Every structure is written in C-alpha cells, then in structure tokens.
Amino acid sequence: MKRARAEVLNARRFGVYHSITVVAPEVAQRARPGQFVSIGMPQGRSFIFRRQFSIHEASRRGGWAGTLEFVFDRHGPGTSWLAGVRVHEFLDVIGPLGTAFAYPAKLNACLLVSEGHASAPMYFLAQELRARGKRVDMIVGAETHEHVFKPIEGKRLSQTFSIVTADGSLGERGSVLDALPGMLETTGAEVVYAAAPRPTLRAIAEMCLEREIPSQIAIEDEMPCGTGLCYTCAIPVIRKDGGGYDNLRACAEGPVFNPARILWDRWIGDAPGSAPTPPEGYAKVRTWPG
Amino acid sequence: MTTSALGQTIAVDLNGLVFSHPVLAASGCLSTGRDVPSVVDVHRLAGVVTRSITVAPSRGSVVPRAAETASGLLSHVGLQNPGVDEFLAKDLPRLVRAKVPVIASIAGTRLDEYVRLTTALDRRPGIVALEVYVSTSDEEFAGEPFHASPERLNEIVGAVARMSRLPVFVKLPPMLPELVETARVCIRAGASGLTLIDAVPGLAVDADRLQSRLAAPIGGLSGPAIKPIALAAVYQVAHVMPRVPIMGVGGVSTAADAVEFLLAGAWAVQVGTAMLVNPSAPVEIAQGIASYLKEKGISSPADLRGRLRVRGEPAGDAAS
Ligand SMILES: Cc1cc2nc3c(=O)[nH]c(=O)nc-3n(C[C@H](O)[C@H](O)[C@H](O)COP(=O)(O)OP(=O)(O)OC[C@H]3O[C@@H](n4cnc5c(N)ncnc54)[C@H](O)[C@@H]3O)c2cc1C
Ligand SMILES: Cc1cc2nc3c(=O)[nH]c(=O)nc-3n(C[C@H](O)[C@H](O)[C@H](O)COP(=O)(O)O)c2cc1C
C-alpha cells in the first residue's frame, strides 16, 4: 500500500461514466484485479470520507507505464467533485488496497458477471486471465445502453460477451441473473467472478453454490477510510474451520470474498440478528481456489 | 520530533508523562496495533491510544456500522477487539517495535473486568498510561453507562488508579449533566488526567427507505462536526482544574484546530477521524503547531495552554 500525490493525466467520459487516469507508478506496479484505490476528498468540505474505486486498468509497460485508471458514475458529492477534476490537477491516492481475485490453477473456463459501475475491475481481470491462457466469457448488465460498460473492449476480451439492459435498449432485456443460467450452460463455466450490487451478488452466489461452481465476488461497502483503520466496513465471514464467524473488514480482508463463507442474512438481511449459529455449527467451506 | 526543525521544543509534559510532541492517535482509529497500514508513520506519532480493549475478544456490533454525515462520521463499532490476552501476545509487541508510546484504552462491563485489565496491562513495557473508557453499560448496575453514576465512576476509577503504577486518564463524553463535577469525581478517585471527549451520540436517517442508516441505530459522531462541543468540554473543565492534564479530542483535523484546543486548556490532543481520511494528519498537525509557535514567538505548547481570552474581557485577565 502506497500513498501518492498523483497527477491526473487524463479525465474523460464514456457513456454515463467518468474515467480518471493518474500517474502513480508505485501503486500501478503492484495493482492486481479486484483491488481498489482510495481517493481523498478536498479538505474543508462537508463530505469527509475517502472514496474507493476499483482499479480498472494498471499499466506497467509502454507509453502509459506507471499510470492507473478508475471509472465512476456520479451519484453523490464525492463523485460529483471528482467529475470536475481536470488534467494536471493532483489527487490524494492510496493503493493498491484490499485483496485481489485469485486465478484458478487448473480450471480453465472463467465467466465474469458484473453490473453497472461494478464492471470496472472485470476488464482488468479479463486481461490477466487471458494472459494466463484461460477462457473468458462475460456478462455485463446495466440500466440502459448508456450504462453498458465499454461494450467494444468487452467483446475484444471475451469469447462470448453477453449484454443485458433493464430497458432492453442494448442486448437482451432483463438482468444478469436472467442471463446467468444460460451462460453457465453454453460456456461450460468452471469458475465464476462477480461484481454487482449486494442482492445480485447473493443471487449469483446461490446459483453457483447450487451448481457447485466455485465463485469469487468483489463487494462494495461503505468505507470511511479504505485502509483498514476504522473497522466499520465489517462483513460476517464464517471461519475456515466452520467454528463460528468473524467480522472481517471489507477493505482489508476483502473486497474479494468467497461468497459461500459470507453470512448473508447477518450481513444484508433486513433483521440483522436473524442468522443464529445453526446447532450443528457452520459448514466448513473450502477457500478458493485452494 | 522533540525539537522541531525550527529550533523550539514541542514536547509536552503531562505531569510526568512526557510526549515528544502534543499529537497522539485517538482510540479506535489505529486498531490495537496489528496490521497498522504502512501509510501511517506510527513511530512519528507522540503516542497511540489503542482501540478499547476488553477482557474477552469482541466481534463488535452488527452492520452497517458507519455513515457519513455533514462534516462527520457516525459510527458504532461496538469495541471490536481481540481481547486482552491476544492484544498482549500479538498487538503490543508490534507497537513496541515501532517505538511508539502506547496508551492502553480499557473497557469493561463490571468492576472485576477493569481490575483484570489493569493488572494484565500495568507492567508491560511500552505501555506508558491507561485510558479508562467508561461509556460501556454497567452490568452490575441497571445497565446505565458507568459515567452516569458518580458512585460507580468513583469505584471503577479508584480501583484502576490504586492498582496501576501508570498515569490513568479517564475518557468522558461531553453530554453529562454535570461534566465538571464528573471530572472532579475521577480526579478525586485517583485519575491523573482526563481525555475529553468521547464521540457524541447521533442518529442518521435514510428517509428513502424509512430506516436508520446504522444498525445500532445510534452511533458516535466524530470529525469536524463535533469540534465546538469538544472545545467547550475542555474549556469548562480546564478552567476549574488548570493543573489536571487534559487530552483534547474531537474534530482535530488541522494544526489550527490543535492550537484551539491548547488555548482552551488541553495539554495535548488526540486525532481520530482526521487520521482515518489523512493517515499523516497527526504528523502534519505536529509540524503545523511548531510553525505556529515559531511565528508567534512562543517557546512551547505549554505556553499556549489556557491562554484563551474571553472576548470582551480585558486582556490582562487571561490565564494567569
Ligand atoms: C472497494 C470499492 C470499489 C468501488 N469501485 C467503484 C468504481 O469502480 N466505480 C464507482 O463508480 N464506484 C465504486 N465504488 C462505490 C463508490 O466508492 C461510492 O459509490 C462513492 O464513494 C460514492 O461517493 P459519493 O459521494 O459520490 O456518493 P454518496 O452516495 O453520497 O456517498 C456517501 C458515502 O457513502 C458511501 N456509500 C454508501 N453506500 C455505499 C455502497 N453501497 N457502496 C460503497 N460505498 C457506499 C460512499 O463511499 C461515501 O463514503 C466502490 C466502492 C468500494 C467500497
Ligand atoms: C471508528 C471509530 C472507533 C472508535 N473506537 C473507540 C474506542 O474503541 N474507544 C474509545 O475510547 N473511543 C473510540 N472512538 C472515539 C475516538 O477516540 C474519539 O473520541 C472521537 O472519534 C472524537 O475524535 P475525532 O473527531 O478526532 O474522531 C472511536 C471513533 C471512531 C471514529
């Protein structure tokens, strides 16, 4: 983890998304897909939390060596401020943070499922999986065609690229959950990676569990610091030996988790107390890919 | 950083407890010592107050635990910590290796827990003081927080102070009916100083979903939003007890904020939320204090202490 005062090299838009590329060689060199950067907000404003963004691209070679890109849509004061940041300004960047997606050793066919801005790390992951000789298929979901994340690049990176939009303005109408069962069949997926809002992640995780397909998810949670200091972004995760659970920090022990080990009811159930320990204890869950 | 590049000393002496500069990390904002991120220059802090430590390990409260509010952080971590045994085995050695003075914050729900924590932590190398957290609910006394009852506070603080050879600070919240009286109870019971203030109770509401934003649902408000509340608490207590060391905490984000606390009567400051968002905040604040002193021609932070002049009063009446 490094902190840098990073110069903005490029700030542009595609669709509803804003993309910022910063010069941060020490961060870019270490970055792996699934990890994120934490951006400090300007002092003296009413919004004080750092804002976290998945690393969309980290260039280690070529003309862009030492740069990294993150992508966001505008939804609150932090992203609105960032949308106004211009080339040659400086950002307070800490990264790379959190855990990365693990690559399968033997299994080959990888299906990457994502929705909206959560698609940001998937392109980086697709590149790395391809570089390891893996088969990559992708499902990208969004509200409308404008929210579909880089469709052309997606097609270039994957064997089959399935687009689903809620309004049917591009690809199939529906959600990634409608497309997933079919894609699992047709691609012969052996491994699933997912990034999406929590209810979608939970549904994806359940579909994979039923089919005994190992999966990894990247979660987004409210993170005031992003660096592991505050212990507020806790996720209840079952211990490896099944003997109870721990509240792990999404920013430090995540954001990539094996969804089979998350106590979903306790995490996002409406009544958080509604997930008592079963009398026989929690099932042991293999960590993945080990 | 005892002597700054600028020549004058910024060390502070809290009646024998000496720090190289007046800026410490506040409890709860730098874990208990394990996996402190490398972006925090731990060895350059004047000291670290640990996340409050309990006898048994605690998983903390249910999620969600935090929400951003105007200039503030509303949080309820529920004292998630590894418990005192694991703290001693795994966390303390790391802080000792980082050569940073450690103030162990202790929290219990019964008198015997405070006693047990005090004996476990008292003679450990690296620990320079104890900070007693008294906002937990008292299991032996109707579940009220300890700070709500002068008798219980006297008992708890008295026991800790008697059993410890270290300076003992008591951390108080600001919204007590008789803050000054409560502070006096702590000092009479044997505390060497006070830490003012703990986070302020707050509620954040999501009107869209008609629900609270925290599961708790009431959390502790911290950050710039609470600075005036903290300053008032420090000022009130320092005014009547000028010889009692006070560590000021609550919304300190810049050197100017720290100077305000010193003027109001604090002997040192602790930085919490500001460090979460700017890991080098405490070091920058210490440097800023040094520059301020130099600019004003003041030789040490102690010379600022309590120098606050009340507007309208003649200048000569300032802290004598
Ligand atoms: C690991 C990680 C990676 C992320 N990657 C991206 C990305 O690549 N692109 C992108 O557009 N966004 C991403 N996000 C979400 C993004 O950080 C927040 O949406 C953003 O900080 C919102 O700030 P705001 O002020 O614009 O919005 P507001 O909604 O006003 O945010 C207020 C605060 O709430 C937090 N918050 C509230 N709900 C959530 C939630 N469900 N998830 C995360 N934070 C929440 C925000 O971080 C912020 O601190 C990521 C979040 C995390 C944790
Ligand atoms: C995430 C978080 C955890 C905290 N945990 C503790 C704790 O365990 N014990 C304690 O005495 N205070 C705790 N506090 C309170 C702080 O030490 C401090 O009193 C308060 O945050 C006000 O200071 P600040 O505005 O600089 O953050 C915590 C605060 C935060 C934000």
Side-chain angles (χ1 to χ4, degrees):
Chain A
M1 169 190 324
K2 294 283 171 187
R3 187 176 188 196
R5 199 171 156 265
E7 185 175 0
V8 175
L9 198 62
N10 197 0
R12 66 200 165 96
R13 292 193 64 158
F14 55 88
V16 299
Y17 297 104
H18 296 257
S19 146
I20 291 183
T21 303
V22 293
V23 185
E26 291 194 300
V27 183
Q29 266 151 26
R30 294 172 171 81
R32 286 178 298 142
Q35 292 185 296
F36 63 96
V37 287
S38 176
I39 309 293
M41 293 292 113
Q43 264 216 350
R45 308 283 182 106
S46 69
F47 48 102
I48 62 173
F49 287 15
R50 298 185 74 89
R51 264 61 175 172
Q52 332 304 336
F53 300 94
S54 299
I55 296 168
H56 175 58
E57 173 102 60
S59 304
R60 300 183 192 107
R61 288 175 287 276
W64 292 83
T67 66
L68 65 83
E69 181 184 1
F70 61 93
V71 176
F72 57 96
D73 47 0
R74 247 170 114 136
H75 36 124
T79 45
S80 298
W81 173 76
L82 269 174
V85 166
R86 298 282 164 260
V87 172
H88 301 315
E89 289 181 33
F90 287 83
L91 290 176
D92 164 10
V93 178
I94 300 179
L97 294 167
T99 50
F101 288 114
Y103 311 121
K106 296 200 188 75
L107 303 176
N108 177 45
C110 303
L111 179 58
L112 281 50
V113 192
S114 60
E115 223 173 64
H117 73 236
S119 300
M122 290 309 193
Y123 294 72
F124 187 13
L125 175 63
Q127 285 171 18
E128 294 294 315
L129 288 169
R130 293 259 313 232
R132 285 163 180 76
K134 305 293 173 188
R135 175 188 165 125
V136 171
D137 298 280
M138 294 176 90
I139 308 176
V140 170
E143 283 295 300
T144 73
H145 68 97
E146 285 197 299
H147 296 76
V148 176
F149 207 90
K150 294 193 173 174
I152 295 166
E153 200 175 325
K155 279 189 186 127
R156 186 174 63 75
L157 284 168
S158 54
Q159 211 90 16
T160 41
F161 185 70
S162 161
I163 298 175
V164 251
T165 51
D167 67 350
S169 56
L170 191 65
E172 297 286 313
R173 179 193 297 269
S175 90
V176 294
L177 296 177
D178 302 319
L180 184 58
M183 280 288 272
L184 285 172
E185 291 279 313
T186 56
T187 63
E190 296 167 292
V191 173
V192 170
Y193 296 94
R198 294 168 200 183
T200 312
L201 282 180
R202 182 177 192 168
I204 295 171
E206 277 163 8
M207 286 186 192
C208 293
L209 264 177
E210 271 167 28
R211 293 170 175 76
E212 296 187 2
I213 299 173
S215 63
Q216 285 190 14
I217 59 169
I219 60 149
E220 284 184 13
D221 198 359
E222 205 146 351
M223 295 179 186
C225 68
T227 54
L229 288 169
C230 78
Y231 279 73
T232 61
C233 60
I235 312 283
V237 176
I238 300 168
R239 292 187 191 132
K240 284 175 192 164
D241 63 3
Y245 73 95
D246 293 306
N247 282 323
L248 302 185
R249 295 161 299 172
C251 68
E253 284 90 23
V256 173
F257 286 102
N258 176 348
R261 289 180 55 204
I262 292 181
L263 282 177
W264 290 90
D265 280 337
R266 196 170 267 281
W267 185 34
I268 60 168
D270 270 328
S274 69
T277 309
E280 67 283 11
Y282 298 107
K284 281 188 198 176
V285 182
R286 278 196 320 140
T287 42
W288 188 84
Chain B
M1 204 193 285
T2 308
T3 308
S4 73
L6 301 159
Q8 83 279 47
T9 172
I10 56 168
V12 287
D13 180 347
L14 282 65
N15 289 350
L17 178 62
V18 177
F19 295 114
S20 61
H21 64 79
V23 192
L24 292 86
S27 177
C29 298
L30 199 78
S31 83
T32 38
R34 63 185 58 195
D35 48 47
V36 171
S38 56
V39 289
V40 181
D41 258 341
V42 183
H43 68 281
R44 293 176 73 189
L45 299 169
V48 167
V49 187
T50 65
R51 177 175 291 280
S52 296
I53 298 159
T54 51
V55 171
S58 164
R59 269 201 288 251
S61 42
V62 287
V63 292
R65 293 177 173 181
E68 190 180 48
T69 60
S71 304
L73 157 60
L74 188 72
S75 65
H76 193 289
V77 175
L79 304 184
Q80 178 168 351
N81 81 95
V84 69
D85 294 338
E86 215 181 297
F87 167 76
L88 287 170
K90 292 204 183 136
D91 297 66
L92 185 61
R94 294 184 200 199
L95 292 172
V96 170
R97 242 176 284 138
K99 295 194 168 51
V100 64
V102 178
I103 297 180
S105 168
I106 57 173
T109 53
R110 294 192 315 260
L111 175 63
D112 65 299
E113 289 180 350
Y114 283 98
V115 168
R116 164 97 211 271
L117 288 163
T118 306
T119 41
L121 294 164
D122 193 49
R123 292 189 182 273
R124 298 298 178 137
I127 301 181
V128 299
L130 299 179
E131 188 177 273
V132 190
Y133 182 76
V134 289
S135 301
T136 34
S137 51
D138 182 348
E139 275 185 4
E140 297 164 310
F141 197 77
E144 291 280 304
F146 290 103
H147 59 61
S149 153
E151 296 77 35
R152 283 297 273 168
L153 206 50
N154 179 51
E155 237 178 302
I156 301 284
V157 175
V160 174
R162 274 193 304 278
M163 307 204 47
S164 172
R165 73 187 160 92
L166 296 172
V168 172
F169 282 73
V170 183
K171 186 170 188 179
L172 294 176
M175 8 30 78
L176 296 170
E178 296 287 348
L179 175 64
V180 174
E181 238 350 273
T182 309
R184 226 192 287 274
V185 168
C186 297
I187 300 303
R188 284 206 191 111
S192 355
L194 299 160
T195 301
L196 298 169
I197 57 174
D198 193 8
V200 178
L203 175 70
V205 175
D206 180 344
D208 252 355
R209 300 197 176 90
L210 288 78
Q211 67 185 12
S212 68
R213 291 178 60 197
L214 264 57
I218 289 177
L221 184 62
S222 61
I226 69 166
K227 188 182 77 173
I229 301 173
L231 279 169
V234 169
Y235 176 75
Q236 280 178 294
V237 176
H239 208 64
V240 294
M241 287 178 243
R243 281 186 206 86
V244 172
I246 295 174
M247 293 199 259
V249 50
V252 179
S253 314
T254 63
D257 295 333
V259 167
E260 291 174 19
F261 274 85
L262 298 175
L263 287 170
W267 298 42
V269 296
Q270 299 178 0
V271 176
T273 303
M275 184 178 55
L276 298 178
V277 297
N278 172 12
S280 43
V283 175
E284 289 168 15
I285 292 169
Q287 286 164 344
I289 295 172
S291 310
Y292 174 90
L293 294 175
K294 167 104 181 159
E295 196 182 299
K296 297 276 179 195
I298 297 168
S299 59
S300 93
D303 294 334
L304 277 178
R305 190 192 319 137
R307 287 263 298 264
L308 183 73
R309 216 168 31 193
V310 174
R311 231 171 134 173
E313 277 181 9
D317 287 4
S320 40

